């Protein structure tokens, strides 16, 4: 089996992925399946649609694997495909659903029930505020904080200049802080 060494974002070691598309597909699904599903779920708010999108993402990755040049990490490449499929499938309906918390889709965690409940509450509160922001800000914050992509990786995934991504992150953080303060001040009354 011939392998290609790729470095997924956030990884400090190179992990070999097969050059042969069928073997690579299995490896990609094992390593990045949850990430693709969570991202699709974030964009759609619908688990069934997110599952359909995940299948489409891996089908596209399978078809294009031999032409993957490695200009970006595999994680960034799959995130880009996921974003594009989500945009194709949902169009302007993005985030029309109730706020959804993609972290709730994680499985196999070892937190106590109390810790998990507190963590979910905190994340869902932040996510609720995040989903009140304009769409470009939502996207930038999600990709940066939830998927832990760098600004360069976000720029590649969203086809936006890196300076624009940095600007969106800066403005999104400010807007999120204002949104949280606004609610805190109304709660104090």
């Amino acid at each position: 089996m011939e392998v290609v060494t790729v470095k997924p974002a956030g990884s400090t070691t190179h992990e070999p992925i097969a050059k042969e598309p069928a073997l690579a597909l299995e490896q990609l699904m094992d390593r990045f399946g949850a990430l693709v599903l969570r991202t699709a779920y974030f964009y759609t708010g619908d688990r069934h649609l997110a599952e359909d999108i995940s299948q489409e993402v891996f089908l596209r990755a399978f078809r294009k694997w031999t032409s993957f040049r490695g200009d970006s990490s595999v994680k960034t490449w799959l995130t880009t495909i996921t974003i594009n499929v989500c945009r194709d499938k949902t169009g302007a309906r993005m985030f029309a659903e109730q706020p959804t918390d993609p972290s709730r889709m994680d499985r196999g965690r070892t937190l106590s029930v109390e810790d998990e409940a507190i963590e979910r509450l905190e994340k869902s509160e932040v996510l609720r505020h995040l989903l009140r922001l304009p769409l470009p800000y939502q996207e930038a914050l999600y990709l940066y904080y939830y998927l832990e992509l760098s600004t360069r990786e976000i720029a590649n995934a969203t086809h936006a200049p890196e300076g624009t991504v940095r600007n969106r992150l800066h403005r999104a953080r400010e807007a999120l802080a204002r949104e949280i303060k606004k609610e805190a001040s109304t709660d104090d009354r």
Side-chain angles (χ1 to χ4, degrees):
M1 168 175 83
E2 193 173 351
V3 293
V4 173
T5 302
V6 295
K7 185 180 177 208
S11 175
T12 55
T13 61
H14 292 282
E15 300 177 29
I17 294 182
K19 277 190 176 181
E20 201 277 306
L23 293 173
L25 177 64
E26 186 176 330
Q27 293 171 330
L28 293 174
M29 289 175 74
D30 286 345
R31 291 184 194 160
F32 302 103
L35 175 132
V36 168
L37 183 62
R38 279 194 310 267
T39 302
Y41 185 67
F42 176 78
Y43 275 84
T44 64
D46 180 315
R47 181 165 181 106
H48 297 293
L49 183 56
E51 289 170 352
D52 290 345
I53 288 170
S54 294
Q55 290 177 7
E56 177 69 23
V57 166
F58 285 110
L59 181 61
R60 288 186 188 187
F62 172 77
R63 288 180 183 150
K64 299 289 184 181
W65 180 246
T66 56
S67 63
F68 175 66
R69 296 184 315 258
D71 293 341
S72 65
S73 69
V74 174
K75 179 180 178 180
T76 302
W77 182 61
L78 288 173
T79 300
T80 302
I81 295 170
T82 305
I83 291 169
N84 289 337
V85 173
C86 287
R87 288 176 176 169
D88 291 347
K89 298 259 186 210
T90 62
R93 293 184 303 121
M94 274 178 57
F95 305 109
E97 301 289 324
Q98 289 285 51
T100 54
D101 188 347
S103 68
R104 290 183 179 170
M105 294 177 63
D106 283 346
R107 300 288 180 247
R109 299 181 14 172
T110 58
L111 292 176
S112 72
V113 174
E114 295 84 8
D115 289 341
E116 186 172 346
I118 290 169
E119 183 179 299
R120 281 185 180 181
L121 180 62
E122 289 170 351
K123 283 185 176 179
S124 64
E125 285 295 310
V126 171
L127 189 63
R128 186 170 51 81
H129 292 294
L130 175 102
L131 292 174
R132 291 180 184 158
L133 302 178
L135 294 177
Y137 295 174
Q138 293 177 26
E139 182 176 65
L141 289 172
Y142 174 76
L143 295 173
Y144 190 78
Y145 288 107
Y146 276 83
L147 295 189
E148 299 176 347
L149 296 180
S150 69
T151 54
R152 176 169 292 160
E153 291 170 323
I154 295 169
N156 290 337
T158 60
H159 309 292
E162 189 173 358
T164 300
V165 170
R166 287 191 188 119
N167 187 309
R168 286 177 182 166
L169 280 169
H170 176 74
R171 290 182 180 191
R173 288 182 194 114
E174 289 177 339
L176 185 60
R178 280 192 306 272
E179 188 69 37
I180 292 170
K181 285 179 185 175
K182 183 172 77 175
E183 183 169 302
S185 67
T186 59
D187 286 348
D188 290 343
R189 292 180 192 171

